[in-house]
Amino acid sequence: MENFELIEKYISGKMTDAEKLAFETQLNADPTLKSELTLQETIVSGIKKARAAELKTMLSQVPVGSMLSAGVATTKIVAGVIATTAVVTVSYFYFKPASPVASPTEVKTKILENKKTERPQPEVTITTTEPEKIVVPAAAASTPSVKPKNTKVSPAKATPKINVLDPTDELTTSPTAAGKTEIADHMTVAVSHIAVEINNSEKTYSFHYQFQNGRLILYGEFDATLYEILEIHGNGSHPLFLYYKNNYYLLDEKQTTVTPLSAIQNAQLVQKLKEYRSKQN
Amino acid sequence: MALRVFKSVSQINEIEIFERIRNGDEKALEIIYKKYYRMMTKLVVTNSGTEEEARDVYQDALVVFWQKARSGNLVLTSKMSTYIYSICQNLWRKELERKKRLSNEEKDSSESMDMDKPEREKIIARCLEQLGDTCRKVLMYYYFDEMSMQEIADKMGFANTDTAKTKKYKCKQKLDELVKAQYSEQDFLD
């Protein structure tokens, strides 16, 4: 069956240019071969069509739930929330240095809400970040009662117990309302000796960080000479702050996933950090 | 932040799913079908297509994608969904052009053109059915999925590639005979 093999090879497009030319010359001279080729082409194309139809039938049986009738109207909702993951990134509190004894403690919880949004265009998956500030009274601090919809607040991170120290308390030795927080009398600030690695090869992470195996990894175009890691030593806790180009960033050592860095906005905290920084420099 | 995690997870899945499709895993194709159903069908529905047309185009696109992935020549440089989306776009554009042409032309002139081609396909499909499951699958895997003899042997549970080769050859011969028997050569080739 020499012809059979030649035809197969020809149809599957596996012939070299030379072989093809020779075969086509042969075809022109041999009508029987030509009609055999036509038959084979039809059969092979028929097999392919049958297989395509089989696959389509298979797919038709996959339950998808028709959303098309409502599709246009619900586009915006669909684009809205598919999965919502919210993580409390930064949680710190502070006391007013010269406040009267009864002054309530303010707890500021900054919640970053990341919504995974599925858009109809496949190219893009975007995130919308909606920072939200919630001010709750001290009594409610340990159990955040205000929960935005679709937002999971990790209790561990929302309680005042976390390794957050108020730098201002070093100056005010007066007892504070928040009994749970033990502020060290002799807090010191030092340049941290934590191993830092700069990774600027990840294009998706322009200004992010993560902790990995006790090392801090900074993502982005960091100028190695311009950043400083400040470690504030307190009772058992030592929050880390990143100082970079006149901004301060809280570094959560529990953060093992890549996290965007956002500058601390609290003017008082920034002021205190500034003082610490100038002190130790 | 959480999004990043999600993205990297979905990227791992993408690679894994694509690999499974390349290896001829139909279940993986079903997963993809479900995952992007809404996204892809919307493209057609919002561009003057019906739901049925949308599903048809999407299924055709996935079949094209499957075959390309199977051929081993497809290197994904973008997300799988982006690639499938562009196939859908192309297919739907062609279909719209075809419809436009049809409505512009007088119906009687276009009718005679390709009447017997689908008819021939039907005949071959019928003959394939007559061959039985094993032969049908072997031939489809070989000609459409472009599986190697080793892959066919694995998938069909044949002892080795020689068995697969012989099977394929015999099945093809049987099919040829069936097709030829149903039609005189003249009928078929005109």
Side-chain angles (χ1 to χ4, degrees), chain A residues 17-277:
Chain A
D17 284 352
E19 282 173 324
K20 214 168 144 184
L21 200 71
F23 183 72
E24 277 163 1
T25 314
Q26 204 183 334
L27 270 180
N28 287 331
D30 186 348
T32 324
L33 181 66
K34 195 164 186 172
S35 60
E36 182 64 22
L37 172 70
T38 312
L39 173 68
Q40 288 305 325
E41 275 174 339
T42 314
I43 291 176
V44 168
S45 122
I47 295 172
K48 287 182 178 176
K49 284 267 158 56
R51 170 64 168 155
E54 193 185 73
L55 282 171
K56 282 180 77 172
T57 309
M58 179 195 91
L59 291 176
S60 293
Q61 282 157 5
V62 176
V64 278
S66 169
M67 277 122 176
L68 290 172
S69 43
V72 183
T74 55
T75 306
K76 280 186 180 166
I77 304 165
V78 165
V81 185
I82 299 295
T84 305
T85 344
V87 183
V88 178
T89 41
V90 183
S91 161
Y92 53 84
F93 63 98
Y94 62 94
F95 309 102
K96 285 174 188 156
S99 62
V101 187
S103 129
T105 308
E106 268 186 315
V107 178
K108 286 205 173 180
T109 315
K110 209 175 174 190
I111 292 163
L112 281 180
E113 197 178 338
N114 282 326
K115 283 181 185 171
K116 187 245 143 192
T117 309
E118 189 175 292
R119 290 184 60 185
Q121 282 76 21
E123 302 83 0
V124 230
T125 321
I126 48 150
T127 172
T128 46
T129 309
E130 293 168 13
E132 218 176 309
K133 271 187 184 171
I134 302 163
V135 180
V136 288
S142 55
T143 47
S145 55
V146 190
K147 281 189 185 178
K149 219 177 177 186
N150 290 329
T151 306
K152 283 178 195 162
V153 177
S154 154
K157 287 184 178 182
T159 57
K161 265 189 194 166
I162 60 157
N163 57 349
V164 183
L165 290 176
D166 173 20
T168 62
D169 270 272
E170 196 201 2
L171 308 173
T172 56
T173 46
S174 62
T176 65
K180 278 181 185 172
T181 326
E182 287 163 23
I183 310 293
D185 287 326
H186 316 288
M187 282 202 311
T188 54
V189 64
V191 174
S192 173
H193 294 296
I194 189 163
V196 184
E197 187 186 306
I198 293 173
N199 183 337
N200 51 21
S201 59
E202 287 274 0
K203 278 180 189 160
T204 31
Y205 304 131
S206 53
F207 197 50
H208 296 66
Y209 81 97
Q210 83 178 116
F211 280 93
Q212 209 178 62
N213 306 325
R215 281 177 314 134
L216 168 65
I217 304 169
L218 297 172
Y219 294 89
E221 298 292 339
F222 277 93
D223 189 332
T225 57
L226 290 180
Y227 77 82
E228 281 175 37
I229 310 294
L230 304 170
E231 195 169 350
I232 297 181
H233 295 284
N235 270 4
S237 65
H238 47 96
L240 290 173
F241 294 89
L242 166 73
Y243 171 77
Y244 187 66
K245 291 189 175 169
N246 282 326
N247 275 317
Y248 293 88
Y249 306 85
L250 180 74
L251 301 170
D252 182 359
E253 276 184 274
K254 292 191 188 95
Q255 201 54 260
T256 50
T257 56
V258 182
T259 306
L261 284 158
S262 55
I264 292 171
Q265 300 298 335
N266 184 327
Q268 278 174 291
L269 188 60
V270 168
Q271 183 54 39
K272 286 299 151 199
L273 285 163
K274 248 182 212 165
E275 284 174 29
Y276 275 121
R277 209 183 133 255

Side-chain angles (χ1 to χ4, degrees), chain B residues 162-179:
Chain B
D162 284 341
T163 318
K165 246 183 230 169
T166 314
K167 261 279 185 242
K168 182 247 145 192
Y169 183 78
K170 284 191 173 163
C171 291
K172 182 65 182 17
Q173 283 230 305
K174 227 160 112 187
L175 179 67
D176 286 2
E177 279 165 26
L178 277 174
V179 173

Side-chain angles (χ1 to χ4, degrees), chain A residues 1 4-5 8 14 32 35-36 38-40 42-52 54-69 71-72 75 78 82-83 85-89 112 114-127 204-205 208 255 257-260, chain B residues 1-8 24 26-27 29-30 33-42 45-46 50-52 54-60 62-63 66-67 79 81-82 85 117 120-121 124-125 128 136-137 139-147 155 168-169 172-173 175-176 179-180 185 188-189:
Chain A
M1 283 303 282
F4 176 79
E5 275 163 25
E8 284 258 291
K14 283 173 186 159
T32 324
S35 60
E36 182 64 22
T38 312
L39 173 68
Q40 288 305 325
T42 314
I43 291 176
V44 168
S45 122
I47 295 172
K48 287 182 178 176
K49 284 267 158 56
R51 170 64 168 155
E54 193 185 73
L55 282 171
K56 282 180 77 172
T57 309
M58 179 195 91
L59 291 176
S60 293
Q61 282 157 5
V62 176
V64 278
S66 169
M67 277 122 176
L68 290 172
S69 43
V72 183
T75 306
V78 165
I82 299 295
T85 344
V87 183
V88 178
T89 41
L112 281 180
N114 282 326
K115 283 181 185 171
K116 187 245 143 192
T117 309
E118 189 175 292
R119 290 184 60 185
Q121 282 76 21
E123 302 83 0
V124 230
T125 321
I126 48 150
T127 172
T204 31
Y205 304 131
H208 296 66
Q255 201 54 260
T257 56
V258 182
T259 306
Chain B
M1 129 187 63
L3 175 80
R4 300 294 179 206
V5 179
F6 176 84
K7 257 187 123 174
S8 61
E26 289 166 13
K27 279 272 167 289
L29 192 71
E30 288 181 354
Y33 178 69
K34 216 169 165 170
K35 190 173 174 187
Y36 298 128
Y37 186 83
R38 198 188 308 142
M39 183 198 282
M40 303 297 170
T41 49
K42 205 179 145 245
V45 171
T46 52
T50 64
E51 180 168 351
E52 211 154 307
R55 189 171 47 230
D56 204 47
V57 162
Y58 179 34
Q59 288 178 353
D60 280 337
L62 274 189
V63 170
W66 169 269
Q67 212 184 4
K79 280 174 73 182
S81 56
T82 312
Y85 195 82
K117 214 185 163 198
R120 285 175 189 171
E121 277 162 12
I124 292 159
L128 272 169
R136 194 173 46 93
K137 279 187 177 160
L139 292 178
M140 283 176 170
Y141 290 158
Y142 181 81
Y143 288 103
F144 184 88
D145 298 74
E146 295 182 35
M147 282 190 189
K155 194 131 181 158
K168 182 247 145 192
Y169 183 78
K172 182 65 182 17
Q173 283 230 305
L175 179 67
D176 286 2
V179 173
K180 279 178 185 169
E185 215 166 296
F188 201 76
L189 297 175

